[in-house]
Amino acid sequence: SYTFMAIAMAGILGNSLGGIILSRAHPRIVLVIFTSLLLVQLAISFATREDSLGLSHTMDHDPPKKSVLDSIRLQFSDLLAALNDNNISRPLVW
């Protein structure tokens, strides 16, 4: 599928870019760059809603204000429910 091709290309490009940066930059700078990229990715993943999975929820998704911990718990429970679906878990295990 296109998703797996995109993941493979990202892995190849990321490893190549990482090798080039490691050979030219100080290791601490590389650590700061890649740590900041991971933090941005983590923030985006926590902010993304997974409505496309069609999961049933016991609580309302649009309260006026939710704490960060509640959002993390909700995202984690959505992840576990998605991983229990064979259409999602089988390709991941493969």
Side-chain angles (χ1 to χ4, degrees):
S1 76
Y2 291 114
T3 304
F4 289 122
M5 287 190 291
I7 291 171
M9 287 301 297
I12 292 168
L13 292 174
N15 285 327
S16 299
L17 181 64
I20 292 169
I21 290 175
L22 275 174
S23 67
R24 296 177 186 214
H26 192 270
R28 286 184 190 231
I29 294 172
V30 175
L31 178 68
V32 169
I33 290 170
F34 285 107
T35 302
S36 62
L37 287 173
L38 287 173
L39 288 173
V40 168
Q41 182 181 4
L42 183 65
I44 290 171
S45 67
F46 281 142
T48 303
R49 291 180 56 181
E50 294 292 336
D51 293 333
S52 62
L53 293 175
L55 300 171
S56 62
H57 299 287
T58 57
M59 57 188 298
D60 188 19
H61 264 286
D62 298 324
K65 192 77 169 168
K66 278 199 308 193
S67 70
V68 173
L69 188 59
D70 288 339
S71 296
I72 292 172
R73 285 183 183 150
L74 181 63
Q75 290 285 333
F76 189 71
S77 68
D78 287 348
L79 174 66
L80 291 178
L83 289 176
N84 286 329
D85 184 9
N86 287 335
N87 292 329
I88 296 173
S89 62
R90 283 185 184 162
L92 290 174
V93 170
W94 183 83

